[in-house]
Amino acid sequence: MRAVQVTEPGGPEVLALVDVAEPEPGPGELLVDVAAAGVNFIDTYQRSGLYPMATPYIAGLEGVGRVLALGPGVSGVAVGDRVAWSEQAGSYADAIAVPAEKVVPVPDAVSDEHAVGALLQGMTAHFLVTDTFPVSPGDTVLVTAAAGGVGLLLTQMVTARGGRVVATVSTPAKEELARAAGAAEVIRYTEVDDLAGAIRDAAGGDGVAVAYDSVGAATFDASLASLRRRGMLVLFGGSSGPVPPVDPQRLNAQGSVFLTRPKLFDHIVDHDALLARAAAVYGEVAAGTLDVRIGGRYALAEARAAHEDLEGRRTTGKLLLLP
């Protein structure tokens, strides 16, 4: 079968399409025919070495497909069932062996593309607005990279909970997408000299209750400076690079604010938590209250181009590899 392999850390050029043996499902595992694999920033962090990985490895953590075979000891899943996963290396491939405890069932009302488009990024947006900083009606919220995969879902979820979104984007086209997702105010950060001031003005002068920042180095200072007293900066990504060490005194000086760096996998630590989180997100997709935008579709051989487009900020919504 075909797979996208990384033999050493580096740029998108280290992604190589190779032929490998199809895996056999071991005890507690499923063999799944991959219909679509999600492309996420965490894939680029692993590929670059920011998140160290033992090499060689097959890239990708997220996908959807139909079960081809069951390993010993698997119950509750049948051959032919559609399943999705968000935490299994090896997803950029024609087939993958996945532990049964890491998959979730895909409802009939949710397509393959929407299933993978809403899983990792949808569950991320969900825990951010329900667990990290539970959004309440009237909260003014900053969402950076609001036209990205998580950004569009996060904007919709905040708005559905009565929050008011101040979004940052880079282009007029992305502004249009952010507004369509429910953003009340949109700032094109490439066109302002004082981003923090623009955010505070858009928030009414007092600052935002929470800043959801997935960009990292390029926006961290502005996000921190945009907070109201006792507000929270939620740093959940670093698409522009990692944030340098921060002096805790800055949190005091800003107004007794909070800083946290959460990740999804600490919010789906067991199968029951994973099933509940995925069901909540898929329920919104099936009901039509959460719109999943597929921003790019690539063949498996085009994984390098997908990473280049993602890191080059040339994309919106969710990127998919389609084996």
Side-chain angles (χ1 to χ4, degrees):
M1 71 170 197
R2 300 168 306 154
V4 177
Q5 190 178 69
V6 176
T7 57
E8 62 180 356
E13 71 279 357
V14 303
L15 297 170
L17 186 66
V18 298
D19 289 318
V20 297
E22 184 175 273
E24 294 186 6
E29 292 185 334
L30 315 170
L31 178 64
V32 184
D33 180 29
V34 180
V39 179
N40 299 292
F41 268 105
I42 190 172
D43 304 343
T44 72
Y45 303 156
Q46 292 178 339
R47 185 214 70 224
S48 69
L50 180 63
Y51 291 2
M53 297 283 288
T55 55
Y57 72 92
I58 297 173
L61 292 175
E62 179 187 39
V64 64
R66 290 195 180 272
V67 177
L68 293 173
L70 308 178
V74 174
S75 60
V77 184
V79 171
D81 285 355
R82 282 199 309 149
V83 296
W85 60 94
S86 63
E87 193 184 358
Q88 183 61 33
S91 298
Y92 290 7
D94 287 322
I96 186 174
V98 187
E101 65 182 13
K102 290 188 176 182
V103 304
V104 299
V106 178
D108 291 340
V110 178
S111 70
D112 284 342
E113 290 192 355
H114 286 173
V116 73
L119 192 59
L120 188 148
Q121 293 177 332
M123 291 194 299
T124 297
H126 189 267
F127 88 74
L128 291 174
V129 303
T130 61
D131 295 61
T132 305
F133 183 95
V135 173
S136 298
D139 285 338
T140 299
V141 172
L142 171 66
V143 177
T144 67
V150 176
L152 288 172
L153 300 176
L154 185 55
T155 297
Q156 293 176 70
M157 289 186 182
V158 169
T159 302
R161 286 160 175 78
R164 178 175 178 269
V165 172
V166 176
T168 65
V169 299
S170 58
T171 67
K174 291 183 177 182
E175 175 179 350
E176 186 176 337
L177 290 174
R179 290 193 185 279
E185 302 284 346
V186 181
I187 300 166
R188 296 204 290 267
Y189 65 86
T190 53
E191 300 177 9
V192 297
D193 295 326
D194 179 9
L195 180 56
I199 295 168
R200 295 185 72 89
D201 288 345
D206 292 332
V208 296
V210 58
Y212 293 118
D213 191 328
S214 63
V215 176
T219 56
F220 179 84
D221 289 338
S223 292
L224 182 62
S226 73
L227 295 176
R228 72 182 187 193
R229 183 175 285 110
R230 299 192 305 276
M232 179 181 290
L233 172 49
V234 181
L235 181 67
F236 68 97
S239 61
S240 68
V243 175
V246 178
D247 180 356
Q249 182 61 22
R250 292 181 63 186
L251 309 181
N252 177 357
Q254 182 60 35
S256 301
V257 298
F258 299 86
L259 169 64
T260 185
R261 178 57 172 94
K263 64 180 184 292
L264 170 63
F265 303 128
D266 286 328
H267 294 77
I268 50 172
V269 292
D270 57 49
H271 198 222
D272 287 343
L274 171 62
L275 290 174
R277 188 81 62 182
V281 173
Y282 282 163
E284 293 189 38
V285 175
T289 56
L290 187 64
D291 179 52
V292 181
R293 175 181 172 80
I294 305 302
R297 298 171 178 85
Y298 302 79
L300 204 59
E302 298 172 320
R304 172 177 176 172
H307 277 222
E308 289 173 342
D309 288 346
L310 184 64
E311 292 180 298
R313 300 187 187 182
R314 295 188 290 270
T315 66
T316 59
K318 183 71 175 185
L319 304 188
L320 302 178
L321 294 184
L322 303 175

